[in-house]
Amino acid sequence: LHPSWTEKAQTLLTTWEKLHVCMPRYANFMAKCNRKDLKRPHVFMNEQAQAALGEFYLCCALRLRADEVDAAGEDSAKLLDLAGQVAQQDVEPFFQDCRDFVADYNEALHRRLDDTTIWREVEDGLFWHHSFEVAAEEAYRDLQREALPPQAEWPNREDGAAVEAVLEQFTAALQGSSRAKAEEIYRSFLEASAMPVKCSIRAALIDHRILYGEVTYRGQQASGASE
């Protein structure tokens, strides 16, 4: 089983790494925009903002199409045309792909998943138990009912032989009649594990004013680094 989102995420993150150095130029463009320009007939932005935006797209062209920039040399017309192509064919579609990727970001789910990581320090089995409860609560509960005896009949944890017998019964069910249910639960966990990546990309979009919104959580790693 493999997450459906990893290939897309890797593509987006790779492009972000290339364009990151250009984002200060985008910030400069945003700083030069004037809301009054939107109210003027046939004017979308002032000349300073236009120039700053062109510099941003040229920077992106250098990062994404270096050979074409070299081929254009110092020909202003060719460079301007290339900047327009990069804007329409590369950068804006990339920004939209990022927006689409993070559209279903679930902060509550992300926080709950982060909270389960503490169990890994105690025991891997407890980490997986709590992670499955978060990512696939109903399906995981169904699996327990299906593959384990009723909780009232669970053996005392001190009775090693009885506990081992229950675990063997559970393992046999996972390899047999309950396998499909177990795979469904694990698949749900894999899909939910996209939340930290989506959080990072969403925060970058909002920080750079490419996406409207508010960042109220940046993930466990970011929170730990800030403390």
Side-chain angles (χ1 to χ4, degrees):
L1 297 176
H2 301 283
S4 65
W5 54 269
T6 51
E7 184 176 348
K8 184 65 174 181
Q10 187 58 55
T11 299
L12 295 178
L13 290 171
T14 298
T15 303
W16 263 118
E17 289 177 3
K18 294 178 180 178
L19 298 185
H20 184 262
V21 297
C22 299
M23 297 314 297
R25 296 178 185 274
Y26 188 81
N28 185 44
F29 154 67
M30 294 297 292
K32 293 183 182 303
C33 286
N34 191 329
R35 291 184 179 180
K36 295 180 180 179
D37 292 336
L38 298 176
K39 299 179 181 180
R40 295 167 58 192
H42 311 298
V43 176
F44 172 67
M45 66 182 77
N46 61 64
E47 291 183 1
Q48 288 184 325
Q50 285 182 330
L53 186 60
E55 290 178 3
F56 166 67
Y57 286 132
L58 278 176
C59 179
C60 294
L62 187 60
R63 301 293 293 170
L64 300 175
R65 303 190 188 187
D67 290 344
E68 294 181 50
V69 173
D70 289 342
E74 297 182 6
D75 188 318
S76 299
K78 289 183 178 179
L79 289 172
L80 184 62
D81 182 62
L82 178 59
Q85 291 180 40
V86 169
Q88 296 178 15
Q89 299 172 13
D90 299 325
V91 179
E92 295 306 325
F94 165 68
F95 285 160
Q96 188 57 50
D97 282 347
C98 288
R99 295 186 192 100
D100 293 342
F101 182 71
V102 306
D104 63 348
Y105 171 68
N106 185 324
E107 181 180 319
L109 176 59
H110 184 189
R111 287 177 178 270
R112 292 181 65 200
L113 286 170
D114 276 355
D115 287 343
T116 67
T117 59
I118 191 172
W119 292 103
R120 182 156 260 163
E121 300 175 11
V122 180
E123 184 187 23
D124 268 0
L126 288 173
F127 163 74
W128 287 114
H129 167 70
H130 289 286
S131 294
F132 293 155
E133 281 189 328
V134 169
E137 184 177 6
E138 291 299 324
Y140 188 48
R141 190 176 297 139
D142 289 344
L143 175 65
Q144 291 175 309
R145 285 194 291 260
E146 183 179 292
L148 289 171
Q151 191 167 354
E153 300 176 13
W154 288 7
N156 188 294
R157 66 179 61 187
E158 304 299 326
D159 188 343
V163 171
E164 185 64 28
V166 171
L167 291 177
E168 288 179 359
Q169 173 188 332
F170 187 63
T171 299
L174 294 184
Q175 294 174 347
S177 59
S178 298
R179 183 180 181 86
K181 178 70 70 176
E183 289 184 350
E184 173 192 341
I185 293 167
Y186 186 58
R187 187 176 294 108
S188 295
F189 167 76
L190 292 177
E191 295 307 310
S193 65
M195 291 305 129
V197 179
K198 294 188 177 188
C199 174
S200 297
I201 294 177
R202 178 179 180 273
L205 292 172
I206 293 173
D207 289 345
H208 292 296
R209 298 170 67 183
I210 296 166
L211 176 69
Y212 178 79
E214 182 180 3
V215 179
T216 56
Y217 185 63
R218 293 181 182 270
Q220 190 177 69
Q221 186 174 4
S223 299
S226 64
E227 293 176 355

